[in-house]
Amino acid sequence: MENRNEMEIDLLGLLLHLKSKIWIILLAAVVFALGGFVIAKATNSPVYTATARLYVYQKNVAPDGTAEVLDNSSLSIATQLLRDCAVIITGENVTGEVVGDLNLNMDAKALSKAVTVSYRENTRILDLSYTDTDPQRAADVLNAVCDEAAQQITKIMNVDAINPVFKASVPAANNSVDANKSAITAAIIGAVLAAVVIVVIFLMDDTIRNEDDVDNYLGVSTLAAIPVSAELKVVRPSRKSGKKKIGKR
Amino acid sequence: MDTITVTPFVPKEPRISESLKTLRTNLMFSGPSVRVIGFTSFAPGEGKTTISLQTAISFAQLGKRVLLVDADLRKSVLAGQLRLKTKVEGLSHYLSGLANVSELIQETDIPGLYIMFAGVRVPNSTELLGSENFARLIPALKDVFDYVVVDTAPIGQIIDCALMAPHLDGVVMVIDASHNSYKLERRVKNQIEKSGGKVLGAVLNQVDTSHDRGYYGKYYGGYNYYVDNE
């Protein structure tokens, strides 16, 4: 007789049952795959970051007019120079011009915040970057900023040259979501979920299904097992089933 | 009284008739003294009436004199299943003292098979079936018939079967496969035994054998060979 604390799991029966319900699992996988694909495409909002690099050249001229001296102090002056350039590049004089020239949908302040400038100590290199939702616009805006900044810096700071090491080119997307991969992941999740549900329902089935159940649970002999048949399907009284049917009918 | 037409309801499908023969054989193996057999189930619609009818037919086909008694006095479906055109008097009339037993036993078109219907539906079936009249009835029927098959109300809902059980030689539990929790069926068995009845065994009805192929695969195909050659 069945012990309350243990449960006999009919593994072969379980696997066969899973096999018989394979279409549910496949259906779930397909539905989830479609869902995953659609959701991935819908929530996909890639951004594009354009980058540019500028070289700032200022001849180091001694007060007496002799040519450039490269020493520690001149390097530190270079760093200071870069800091000043950074301020001007992100200053509203520059960004204001760019906003106006390109007719951008943001104000100078916003653009100032959006452009980042970085430099490495003891070099004369500036790295600029700007992120936008449109790749072409990202490149165009950054290049405009570079040009405008170059003009203003040369004018204000009396640098000799500020040349691009590379200009901004149209960038690729930063973080786009691969819809196909999402679909596959979703399909696997769907299939596993369906399988788990099927297994749980199977294990929870405590109905009398076959002779073994009659023997195990009831301890009486099975006199006969009458198969499902159209011939014996006679008109029955209407079933008032308040109990939910688990298992095959 | 007209003969009741039963022959159209005898199944022809070999698998079904074989399983019914198995049932008949196993019942006979319960012993020569087991001649009054009741059929019950937990819930309505599990196949008690159908199977008790088929069991009675099966015994008659062996040449026995069989009486099928429809003792589901509250919600009898036998008359409906056999497509009776008119209402017939039956067990409830006898138990209420309104008729004699001999008037209520109907011949059928199967030799040896007789039927006593439930009669008019009564609300106080429990009292009637627990009465002296019923207790006296069974031994009297045993004198006349080789087998008495008694179709009862579902014991999960109505206690009638438990009252009849001590007067019967045994009770068969009809179980609609994969339908009821084993806990409910256990209650059926316990109730019958508690009332002084004897459970002869269980009949699984509506068994879906399709998934057994996985277990018995190669064994199953050979079965048809024997059946076709009969």
Side-chain angles (χ1 to χ4, degrees), chain A residues 124-139:
Chain A
R124 293 186 271 214
I125 306 279
L126 284 169
D127 285 308
L128 290 83
S129 76
Y130 169 67
T131 305
D132 199 326
T133 53
D134 179 276
Q136 183 62 50
R137 193 170 61 201

Side-chain angles (χ1 to χ4, degrees), chain A residues 199-219:
Chain A
V199 166
V200 166
I201 291 180
F202 180 87
L203 292 178
M204 280 190 357
D205 182 2
D206 67 349
T207 64
I208 307 264
R209 286 154 297 196
N210 50 37
E211 280 193 46
D212 290 331
D213 288 344
V214 173
D215 200 29
N216 287 336
Y217 292 117
L218 300 177

Side-chain angles (χ1 to χ4, degrees), chain A residues 133-151:
Chain A
T133 53
D134 179 276
Q136 183 62 50
R137 193 170 61 201
D140 293 342
V141 168
L142 193 58
N143 285 330
V145 167
C146 289
D147 292 341
E148 187 60 38
Q151 281 184 28

Side-chain angles (χ1 to χ4, degrees), chain A residues 85-97 108-109 111-112 152:
Chain A
C85 289
V87 170
I88 294 181
I89 291 172
T90 57
E92 290 186 27
N93 287 333
V94 170
T95 56
E97 282 295 319
K109 223 185 234 160
L111 183 56
S112 298
Q152 296 205 9

